[in-house]
Amino acid sequence: MPRSSAYQRAVAEQRAPARENHAGKLNLIEIVRLATLAASSHNSQPWLFRLEESGISILPDFSRRCPVVDPDDGHLFKSLGCAAENAVHAAAAQGHAAEVTFESSTQGVHLSFHRSKAIRASELFPAIPQRQCTKLPYDGRKLDDADRAALEKAAIGKGVRMVLIDDAPTRETIIDYVRQGNRAQLCDPAFRKELVSWLRFNDVSAIRSGDGLSARSSGQPSLPDWLARPILRFVLTGESQARTDERNIRSAPLIALFIAEREEPASWVETGRVYERFALQATALGIRSAFINQPIEVRDLRPQLNALLGLRTEAALLMLRVGHGPQAPFSLRRPVEQVILKPEAVA
Ligand SMILES: Cc1cc2nc3c(=O)[nH]c(=O)nc-3n(C[C@H](O)[C@H](O)[C@H](O)COP(=O)(O)O)c2cc1C
């Protein structure tokens, strides 16, 4: 079997359509499968799931931290929030409402499920396996007003809000900040080393690890490791990435910013939930998005970005380009069994 089809087979298996089930007992394994299809920083999948009688805890897996790009674990907790949001929609499709709380004792997100006759799958549910960060150029086409309004409605959270930016001067300044961010990140040997550790240059290594940034989903050619590693020094530079990002941002009619009142784990989790809900709504409408977080990840650029947005007490915690374009190849996930804590591991 050619390697490409092994990748596609893995994607098809992991992303089997999400089906409603109101028959009876909660299928927690299915909820975990759908939760793991959420976005995560560097596709690090920094989560572990503890199954309970009528609930799930999503615990941080600190062995999957990215300390250089994410020294305070903000992205890690946002990733947990993304998974939690998928789990909420997955539970609803099984006739259960979810109560979501952040538990400071475990640093985890706890979801408790209770049966509700009133609850039904929303249109966001079938979008779970179809959501992706589409890291390709878009076609420049503007969004309909109704679609824009639907995105704005989806992206309201507790202490977290989203703004859409389309005015030319602000966009130009953001392009400049992303350029500066790329230069700072890719000139930093520690950043490069961490990033490279998550790059999967070909299908074999992407399938083997089930995580990380596959060449395929990033729109890059597939190369053997022995060839990709030495040439990366020449092809992946601050300038080359800045050019790619500039082209990609210009191809998107909108920039979305997720703004939070507080910077702490519970607020990061909520920010992840709001992003994921936004992305599911976008997917349901056939709208693409991809992160451009450099001015948030490079700490020196944060004050400038927040000032540009007129923020005083709040802070921008995620940034995306948004538009229309082709679907990209999907990213892979680790098997569900690998992320579920065995009962003996439960304290
Ligand atoms: C908190 C967070 C931060 C992220 N930051 C970036 C980023 O700066 N640049 C980027 O290209 N993708 C970023 N991503 C997207 C991940 O690379 C992506 O979710 C992961 O590769 C899995 O792919 P998928 O979302 O298409 O399933 C981020 C995702 C999350 C949840």
Side-chain angles (χ1 to χ4, degrees), residues 136-143 247-248 250-253 286 288 321-326:
L136 305 175
Y138 301 162
D139 64 14
R141 195 154 46 94
K142 288 211 162 88
L143 267 65
R247 179 200 62 191
N248 287 343
R250 290 193 193 288
S251 77
R288 310 276 177 218
R321 62 185 169 102
V322 183
H324 295 282

Side-chain angles (χ1 to χ4, degrees), residues 53-220:
E53 183 65 23
S54 58
I56 288 180
S57 285
I58 308 177
L59 303 169
D61 180 350
F62 289 118
S63 70
R64 298 185 152 261
R65 299 181 69 223
C66 299
V68 180
V69 71
D70 187 27
D72 59 8
D73 293 323
H75 276 357
L76 184 149
F77 283 103
K78 290 170 213 165
S79 304
L80 299 191
C82 295
E85 185 62 21
N86 277 8
V88 168
H89 296 284
Q94 295 188 35
H96 283 69
E99 195 182 321
V100 184
T101 44
F102 178 76
E103 297 205 322
S104 24
S105 57
T106 60
Q107 299 264 290
V109 187
H110 186 257
L111 288 91
S112 81
F113 303 127
H114 27 98
R115 181 165 272 292
S116 160
K117 283 208 172 108
I119 203 139
R120 284 274 167 276
S122 74
E123 64 165 330
L124 306 193
F125 172 65
I128 293 175
Q130 292 298 314
R131 185 212 56 82
Q132 61 171 215
C133 294
T134 311
K135 302 180 182 187
L136 305 175
Y138 301 162
D139 64 14
R141 195 154 46 94
K142 288 211 162 88
L143 267 65
D144 292 348
D145 288 348
D147 287 354
R148 205 176 148 140
L151 292 178
E152 282 168 339
K153 193 168 162 213
I156 299 170
K158 291 193 196 93
V160 179
R161 63 191 178 96
M162 190 268 307
V163 291
L164 292 171
I165 293 191
D166 57 5
D167 77 276
T170 310
R171 282 168 58 91
E172 287 308 313
T173 310
I174 286 174
I175 289 172
D176 182 45
Y177 293 167
V178 172
R179 185 183 301 126
Q180 292 183 46
N182 276 318
R183 284 190 189 133
Q185 288 184 324
L186 289 163
C187 287
D188 174 1
F191 175 88
R192 292 182 72 93
K193 190 169 174 217
E194 182 177 87
L195 175 66
V196 171
S197 75
W198 290 103
L199 295 181
R200 309 290 176 248
F201 297 111
N202 49 67
D203 291 351
V204 172
S205 74
I207 293 169
R208 191 183 300 133
S209 70
D211 64 11
L213 303 164
S214 72
R216 239 173 216 279
S217 59
S218 311
Q220 303 295 327

Side-chain angles (χ1 to χ4, degrees), residues 15 37-43 75 78-79 82 131-133 135 212-213 275 291-294 297 318 331 333:
R15 293 178 184 265
L37 296 180
S40 64
S41 176
H42 284 355
N43 198 16
H75 276 357
K78 290 170 213 165
S79 304
C82 295
R131 185 212 56 82
Q132 61 171 215
C133 294
K135 302 180 182 187
L213 303 164
Y275 152 73
F291 287 97
I292 37 168
N293 285 329
Q294 294 86 336
E297 292 166 351
L318 288 172
S331 60
R333 295 296 184 273

